[in-house]
Short mmCIF file of all heavy atoms in Angstrom, two decimals:
data_model
loop_
_atom_site.label_atom_id
_atom_site.label_comp_id
_atom_site.label_asym_id
_atom_site.label_seq_id
_atom_site.Cartn_x
_atom_site.Cartn_y
_atom_site.Cartn_z
N VAL A 1356 7.49 18.63 -25.45
CA VAL A 1356 7.43 18.94 -24.01
C VAL A 1356 7.34 17.60 -23.24
O VAL A 1356 8.04 17.38 -22.18
CB VAL A 1356 6.22 19.74 -23.64
CG1 VAL A 1356 5.98 19.81 -22.19
CG2 VAL A 1356 6.41 21.13 -24.20
N CYS A 1357 6.58 16.68 -23.72
CA CYS A 1357 6.55 15.32 -23.14
C CYS A 1357 7.86 14.62 -23.19
O CYS A 1357 8.36 13.94 -22.29
CB CYS A 1357 5.48 14.34 -23.85
SG CYS A 1357 3.86 14.85 -23.54
N ALA A 1358 8.58 14.80 -24.29
CA ALA A 1358 9.96 14.23 -24.48
C ALA A 1358 10.87 14.77 -23.36
O ALA A 1358 11.81 14.19 -22.92
CB ALA A 1358 10.47 14.53 -25.86
N VAL A 1359 10.73 16.18 -23.17
CA VAL A 1359 11.54 16.83 -22.14
C VAL A 1359 11.32 16.11 -20.76
O VAL A 1359 12.35 15.77 -20.08
CB VAL A 1359 11.28 18.33 -22.00
CG1 VAL A 1359 11.84 18.93 -20.72
CG2 VAL A 1359 11.76 19.10 -23.21
N ILE A 1360 10.12 15.89 -20.39
CA ILE A 1360 9.77 15.38 -19.11
C ILE A 1360 10.31 13.97 -19.03
O ILE A 1360 10.99 13.53 -18.10
CB ILE A 1360 8.28 15.33 -18.90
CG1 ILE A 1360 7.82 16.82 -18.78
CG2 ILE A 1360 7.79 14.59 -17.60
CD1 ILE A 1360 6.22 17.01 -18.95
N PHE A 1361 10.08 13.20 -20.11
CA PHE A 1361 10.70 11.74 -20.25
C PHE A 1361 12.14 11.86 -20.10
O PHE A 1361 12.66 10.96 -19.35
CB PHE A 1361 10.25 11.21 -21.51
CG PHE A 1361 10.66 9.82 -21.71
CD1 PHE A 1361 10.07 8.70 -21.04
CD2 PHE A 1361 11.75 9.49 -22.57
CE1 PHE A 1361 10.54 7.36 -21.11
CE2 PHE A 1361 12.27 8.21 -22.69
CZ PHE A 1361 11.57 7.16 -21.99
N THR A 1362 12.85 12.71 -20.85
CA THR A 1362 14.32 12.69 -20.83
C THR A 1362 14.77 13.07 -19.40
O THR A 1362 15.83 12.43 -19.00
CB THR A 1362 14.77 13.72 -21.84
OG1 THR A 1362 14.39 13.33 -23.06
CG2 THR A 1362 16.38 13.82 -21.89
N ILE A 1363 14.13 13.99 -18.67
CA ILE A 1363 14.53 14.32 -17.36
C ILE A 1363 14.54 13.09 -16.42
O ILE A 1363 15.39 12.78 -15.68
CB ILE A 1363 13.65 15.48 -16.83
CG1 ILE A 1363 14.06 16.79 -17.59
CG2 ILE A 1363 13.90 15.56 -15.27
CD1 ILE A 1363 13.05 18.02 -17.22
N PHE A 1364 13.44 12.35 -16.58
CA PHE A 1364 13.22 11.17 -15.64
C PHE A 1364 14.17 10.10 -16.00
O PHE A 1364 14.86 9.49 -15.09
CB PHE A 1364 11.83 10.61 -15.69
CG PHE A 1364 10.82 11.31 -14.84
CD1 PHE A 1364 10.03 12.36 -15.27
CD2 PHE A 1364 10.85 11.13 -13.49
CE1 PHE A 1364 9.21 13.06 -14.41
CE2 PHE A 1364 10.00 11.78 -12.58
CZ PHE A 1364 9.20 12.71 -13.05
N VAL A 1365 14.34 9.76 -17.36
CA VAL A 1365 15.27 8.75 -17.69
C VAL A 1365 16.70 9.14 -17.43
O VAL A 1365 17.49 8.26 -16.92
CB VAL A 1365 15.10 8.38 -19.27
CG1 VAL A 1365 16.20 7.46 -19.79
CG2 VAL A 1365 13.60 7.74 -19.40
N GLY A 1366 16.99 10.35 -17.71
CA GLY A 1366 18.40 10.76 -17.42
C GLY A 1366 18.77 10.73 -15.93
O GLY A 1366 19.92 10.32 -15.59
N THR A 1367 17.78 11.01 -15.06
CA THR A 1367 18.06 10.97 -13.64
C THR A 1367 18.21 9.43 -13.29
O THR A 1367 19.04 9.10 -12.45
CB THR A 1367 16.89 11.55 -12.88
OG1 THR A 1367 16.89 12.95 -13.25
CG2 THR A 1367 17.11 11.42 -11.41
N TYR A 1368 17.37 8.70 -13.82
CA TYR A 1368 17.38 7.14 -13.45
C TYR A 1368 18.63 6.55 -13.80
O TYR A 1368 19.24 5.70 -13.11
CB TYR A 1368 16.12 6.54 -14.00
CG TYR A 1368 16.06 5.21 -13.36
CD1 TYR A 1368 15.43 4.94 -12.14
CD2 TYR A 1368 16.34 3.98 -14.17
CE1 TYR A 1368 15.30 3.64 -11.65
CE2 TYR A 1368 16.25 2.69 -13.75
CZ TYR A 1368 15.69 2.52 -12.47
OH TYR A 1368 15.50 1.29 -11.95
N PHE A 1369 19.12 6.89 -14.95
CA PHE A 1369 20.32 6.34 -15.49
C PHE A 1369 21.62 7.06 -15.34
O PHE A 1369 22.65 6.76 -15.77
CB PHE A 1369 20.18 6.00 -17.07
CG PHE A 1369 19.28 4.96 -17.33
CD1 PHE A 1369 18.04 5.17 -17.91
CD2 PHE A 1369 19.64 3.59 -17.11
CE1 PHE A 1369 17.14 4.13 -18.18
CE2 PHE A 1369 18.71 2.54 -17.49
CZ PHE A 1369 17.46 2.82 -18.01
N SER A 1370 21.52 8.16 -14.48
CA SER A 1370 22.52 9.07 -14.18
C SER A 1370 23.30 9.58 -15.43
O SER A 1370 24.54 9.56 -15.48
CB SER A 1370 23.51 8.40 -13.19
OG SER A 1370 22.85 8.07 -11.92
N ALA A 1371 22.55 9.88 -16.46
CA ALA A 1371 23.23 10.35 -17.75
C ALA A 1371 23.19 11.82 -17.77
O ALA A 1371 22.41 12.55 -17.15
CB ALA A 1371 22.29 9.78 -18.78
N SER A 1372 24.03 12.34 -18.70
CA SER A 1372 24.19 13.80 -18.93
C SER A 1372 23.15 14.11 -19.95
O SER A 1372 23.24 13.69 -21.10
CB SER A 1372 25.57 14.08 -19.32
OG SER A 1372 25.57 15.55 -19.76
N ILE A 1373 22.06 14.80 -19.48
CA ILE A 1373 20.95 15.20 -20.31
C ILE A 1373 20.73 16.51 -20.74
O ILE A 1373 19.82 16.88 -21.42
CB ILE A 1373 19.65 14.49 -19.66
CG1 ILE A 1373 19.50 15.31 -18.35
CG2 ILE A 1373 19.68 13.05 -19.58
CD1 ILE A 1373 18.12 15.09 -17.81
N GLY A 1374 21.57 17.37 -20.25
CA GLY A 1374 21.47 18.87 -20.38
C GLY A 1374 21.14 19.28 -21.82
O GLY A 1374 20.31 20.04 -22.12
N GLY A 1375 22.00 18.82 -22.74
CA GLY A 1375 21.96 19.12 -24.16
C GLY A 1375 20.65 18.58 -24.83
O GLY A 1375 20.07 19.37 -25.53
N ALA A 1376 20.27 17.43 -24.37
CA ALA A 1376 19.08 16.84 -24.96
C ALA A 1376 17.79 17.64 -24.49
O ALA A 1376 16.94 17.91 -25.21
CB ALA A 1376 18.90 15.30 -24.58
N VAL A 1377 17.86 17.91 -23.20
CA VAL A 1377 16.67 18.75 -22.63
C VAL A 1377 16.56 20.07 -23.31
O VAL A 1377 15.55 20.49 -23.70
CB VAL A 1377 16.83 18.74 -21.10
CG1 VAL A 1377 15.73 19.82 -20.57
CG2 VAL A 1377 16.47 17.51 -20.49
N ALA A 1378 17.67 20.66 -23.47
CA ALA A 1378 17.79 22.14 -24.14
C ALA A 1378 17.24 21.91 -25.51
O ALA A 1378 16.51 22.84 -26.03
CB ALA A 1378 19.14 22.60 -24.11
N PHE A 1379 17.67 21.04 -26.29
CA PHE A 1379 17.34 20.83 -27.68
C PHE A 1379 15.79 20.50 -27.73
O PHE A 1379 15.08 21.16 -28.59
CB PHE A 1379 18.09 19.62 -28.44
CG PHE A 1379 17.48 19.31 -29.71
CD1 PHE A 1379 17.84 20.11 -30.84
CD2 PHE A 1379 16.59 18.19 -29.84
CE1 PHE A 1379 17.39 19.71 -32.04
CE2 PHE A 1379 16.09 17.91 -31.10
CZ PHE A 1379 16.40 18.65 -32.22
N LEU A 1380 15.28 19.68 -26.94
CA LEU A 1380 13.87 19.30 -26.99
C LEU A 1380 12.98 20.42 -26.46
O LEU A 1380 11.93 20.66 -27.23
CB LEU A 1380 13.66 18.09 -26.03
CG LEU A 1380 14.21 16.72 -26.53
CD1 LEU A 1380 14.07 15.69 -25.50
CD2 LEU A 1380 13.45 16.29 -27.84
#
């Protein structure tokens, strides 16, 4: 869950496509 939160923030900051990573986590 912490990794989801971290991925959301990092993905937004770097404008990365994070949907798959968030779904997996």
Side-chain angles (χ1 to χ4, degrees):
V1356 171
C1357 290
V1359 165
I1360 296 165
F1361 179 78
T1362 302
I1363 290 170
F1364 276 100
V1365 169
T1367 299
Y1368 190 76
F1369 289 105
S1370 300
S1372 176
I1373 59 166
V1377 168
F1379 172 80
L1380 291 168

